Amino acid sequence: MAADQGPSPVVPGVVVAGPPVARAEEVLTPAAVAFVAGLHRAFEARRQELLAARGARRAEIARTGTLDFLPETAGVRAADWQVAPAPPALTDRRVEITGPTDRKMVVNALNSGAKVWLADFEDATAPTWENVLTGQVNLIDAFEGRIDFTDARGKAYALGPAAGLATVVVRPRGWHLDERHLTVDGTPVAGALLDFGLYFFHNAARLLARGAQDPNSGPYFYLPKTESHLEARLWNEVFTRAQAELGVPHGTIRATVLIETVTAAFEMDEILYELREHAAGLNAGRWDYLFSIVKNFRDAGGHYVLPDRNTVTMASPFMAAYTRLLVRTCHRRGAHAIGGMAAFIPSRTDPEVNAAALVKVRADKEREAGGGFDGSWVAHPDLVPVARECFDAVLGDRPHQKENPGPDGEVTAARLLDVAGAGGSCTRAGLHNAVQVGLRYIEAWLRGLGAVAIFHMMEDAATAEISRSQIWQWVHNGVVLADTGEKTTAELVRRLVAEELAALRTEFGEQAYATGRWTEAAVLFEQVALAEEFPDFLTLPALALLD
């Protein structure tokens, strides 16, 4: 969409263009924009090289149909080294809550009782210019203790006592996403550098100044979509430059890396090593991990065809191998191992749905705590006590269990790639669910919502990615559906999309349906699910449809 000229700080070579956003001038100060521009000029060429390297590696996987640990970094894996000790705020991470940086979420997440809040500018945020900038404003307000919120019903939200607030850990966008509203020397700045740069510039000194009285303060980050240790090295160089430029002591920044790509799973040691002075741990990003497997091995034959996504549990052999390796690697290196998301959204009206879901959530968190993880994620404040109970039962008064190497058993490349060992089947019900969830999420994303409750689950961009990538894989592999005997074809998918749109029109009513962006969502969904060439990320073609 065309953008009106927005606030334009006077910084040579920089153009800021976007719809007007309230209080944008507080974030886009000349000094802050100059800081981001400096990061862009220093690292953009290397970012582009690494993005090209992703394509070359994917081509090699397509050629060989496999993946293995890197022979050139065997010495790093064999050597005895550890990451820097965790700062006090990141020593006990037994429960972490995730969510976007809208004002209500900021208050609720900080008050949730979780140890950490992942303030998400990535998968849980649709990157409209307004969302990007107001998220930064909201975090500044939170640190200044002046954030509050009143909803449409008149219910007021405000921060509780400082001692009980969660530690903020910011997740910027991945390396692949541009921020088209801000260009430097005619080139869009990386969304990752804008999110990181604005947050660090405005808050590093503020957080450090609070540190003497508040040990929960510090510039901490989650790094998404990392595909190699070289990408982690780039982040380490960004951190080093940023700290030096603002006079922040080296090693103050701490980063937890999401292991949510299959290529990164083969480089866990190397990723921690590259970030060792800034590393805080690794996280098992399960949904994006499944998406990455489909994306990388989409044309490698039936062995890699993923069954219905809801049947692939963390107990599946290849997922168990992945989490076992993550725990073992982290604890050997003195880093935290953080488990995956419990995405269930409790119902206020259906106790039976709640009871059944909470049994699954509890079992999942008990498995993680028993398997050696030091903490885990939840998507809703009501799940914080459930997760805490599971980790309290294992940790007691200990802040973590880094002395626990996790379950026995060698983790080989073959075990990490044993997708066929998951069992399960591909069904029409699973295909229909992928269409339902994908369509509903994309339509909400186009309206600026990145975290969306769908069928009692909090869904984000990773959900849509696994939904559409599975459909692409099933179509291109000619999968026969186990429950109906139908062959998965583009025509079948289009028919399901049309049927779902008709059902949504009936469900919402003509007027409400017309106010949505369902036609655009359907076109985009079919584009990313049925294109002859697999789009690397659905957000790339979708960005042009956002303000």
Side-chain angles (χ1 to χ4, degrees):
M1 293 183 177
D4 298 324
Q5 186 66 34
S8 298
V10 182
V11 180
V14 175
V15 175
V16 180
V21 176
R23 299 177 62 188
E25 71 282 356
E26 298 177 35
V27 176
L28 296 175
T29 64
V33 173
F35 178 72
V36 171
L39 295 177
H40 170 88
R41 288 171 176 141
F43 299 112
E44 175 62 13
R46 184 60 179 148
R47 179 177 80 105
Q48 293 300 332
E49 290 174 1
L50 291 172
L51 292 177
R54 288 182 177 184
R57 191 175 200 183
R58 164 45 210 160
E60 180 64 11
I61 292 172
R63 185 184 70 81
T64 63
T66 192
L67 191 60
D68 208 342
F69 298 96
L70 300 176
E72 62 267 29
T73 55
V76 172
R77 295 193 297 275
D80 186 15
W81 52 268
Q82 291 204 329
V83 303
L90 298 179
T91 298
D92 188 336
R93 304 176 61 176
R94 66 188 68 200
V95 186
E96 303 189 352
I97 190 168
T98 74
T101 53
D102 63 87
R103 214 160 179 84
K104 180 179 177 181
M105 183 67 197
V106 171
V107 176
N108 285 344
L110 290 173
N111 287 340
S112 67
K115 293 291 187 179
V116 166
W117 169 43
L118 187 156
D120 196 6
F121 286 94
E122 200 235 357
D123 272 3
T125 292
T128 65
W129 193 226
E130 181 176 15
N131 286 345
V132 168
L133 296 185
T134 57
Q136 297 282 349
V137 169
N138 291 339
L139 290 173
I140 292 171
D141 282 354
F143 295 139
E144 290 296 317
R146 60 188 182 219
I147 194 165
D148 54 26
F149 177 80
T150 301
D151 66 18
R153 299 169 298 171
K155 183 177 180 181
Y157 299 80
L159 291 181
L165 301 181
T167 296
V168 175
V169 179
V170 167
R171 179 163 68 167
R173 281 167 281 182
W175 282 129
H176 61 289
L177 287 172
D178 293 339
E179 177 47 74
R180 60 194 176 88
H181 296 103
L182 194 152
T183 61
V184 178
D185 306 326
T187 303
V189 72
L193 294 181
L194 183 75
D195 298 339
F196 163 79
L198 291 178
Y199 178 76
F200 188 72
F201 181 87
H202 287 294
N203 297 296
R206 177 181 282 110
L207 291 167
L208 293 176
R210 292 175 52 187
Q213 294 79 33
D214 180 8
N216 288 331
S217 291
Y220 308 134
F221 297 90
Y222 257 108
L223 305 180
K225 305 292 188 291
T226 301
E227 296 199 13
S228 74
H229 70 286
L230 298 179
E231 295 181 14
R233 180 182 298 174
L234 177 58
W235 269 118
N236 197 66
E237 292 169 356
V238 170
F239 296 160
T240 298
R241 177 188 171 98
Q243 289 168 137
E245 187 169 338
L246 296 188
V248 173
H250 184 79
T252 299
I253 291 174
R254 293 305 172 89
T256 303
V257 180
L258 289 115
I259 302 299
E260 54 187 354
T261 67
V262 67
T263 52
F266 284 83
E267 300 182 35
M268 294 187 202
D269 273 303
E270 294 91 328
I271 287 168
L272 286 175
Y273 183 78
E274 294 293 344
L275 286 160
R276 60 194 179 278
E277 295 173 328
H278 298 109
L282 302 177
N283 171 280
R286 59 180 73 173
W287 287 123
D288 265 311
Y289 188 73
L290 293 175
F291 161 55
S292 175
I293 287 176
V294 173
K295 178 165 69 172
N296 280 283
F297 293 96
R298 59 185 181 266
D299 46 16
H303 178 83
Y304 291 104
V305 171
L306 208 65
D308 292 2
R309 73 164 182 135
N310 293 325
T311 67
V312 181
T313 70
M314 299 307 290
S316 301
F318 76 105
M319 295 299 282
Y322 148 69
T323 55
R324 187 161 65 245
L325 181 60
L326 191 149
V327 169
R328 185 174 304 167
T329 302
C330 284
H331 289 179
R332 182 186 177 200
R333 305 308 184 184
H336 280 70
I338 307 299
M341 170 76 81
F344 173 64
I345 302 300
S347 170
R348 303 302 185 197
T349 60
D350 195 333
E352 292 185 6
V353 167
N354 287 349
L358 288 176
V359 168
K360 294 180 180 179
V361 170
R362 187 174 296 277
D364 182 50
K365 299 311 169 191
E366 288 175 346
R367 176 194 54 76
E368 288 182 326
F373 280 96
D374 303 297
S376 189
W377 281 8
V378 299
H380 193 279
D382 287 358
L383 299 184
V384 170
V386 179
R388 187 193 303 119
E389 288 173 13
C390 296
F391 277 87
D392 285 351
V394 172
L395 297 179
D397 294 331
R398 297 176 300 157
H400 52 72
Q401 53 178 329
K402 292 180 184 177
E403 76 288 348
N404 180 357
D408 294 334
E410 183 183 7
V411 179
T412 63
R415 288 178 178 173
L416 286 170
L417 298 178
D418 184 20
V419 176
S425 58
C426 304
T427 68
R428 196 180 201 277
L431 182 65
H432 183 210
N433 180 256
V435 169
Q436 287 180 301
V437 173
L439 266 181
R440 289 167 187 253
Y441 180 81
I442 290 174
E443 191 275 336
W445 191 91
L446 293 175
R447 288 186 286 109
L449 301 175
V452 186
I454 302 174
F455 305 143
H456 300 296
M457 300 291 284
M458 184 60 74
E459 309 287 14
D460 65 12
T463 303
E465 291 285 28
I466 186 61
S467 296
R468 66 95 182 183
S469 63
Q470 270 204 292
I471 291 172
W472 193 99
Q473 186 187 45
W474 290 10
V475 169
H476 284 260
N477 283 272
V479 166
V480 175
L481 302 176
D483 51 346
T484 64
E486 297 168 280
K487 183 178 179 180
T488 308
T489 63
E491 291 71 23
L492 174 59
V493 173
R494 291 190 182 97
R495 189 162 68 248
L496 288 174
V497 168
E499 291 172 359
E500 185 61 21
L501 290 176
L504 288 164
R505 189 187 298 269
T506 300
E507 177 182 344
F508 296 135
E510 194 65 40
Q511 184 174 355
Y513 180 88
T515 64
R517 300 186 67 175
W518 295 105
T519 300
E520 292 168 284
V523 170
L524 178 59
F525 182 74
E526 291 187 15
Q527 176 186 345
V528 297
L530 300 176
E532 188 60 34
E533 293 296 322
F534 185 88
D536 281 343
F537 295 95
L538 71 84
T539 46
L540 294 178
L543 283 175
L545 301 175
L546 286 183
D547 289 331

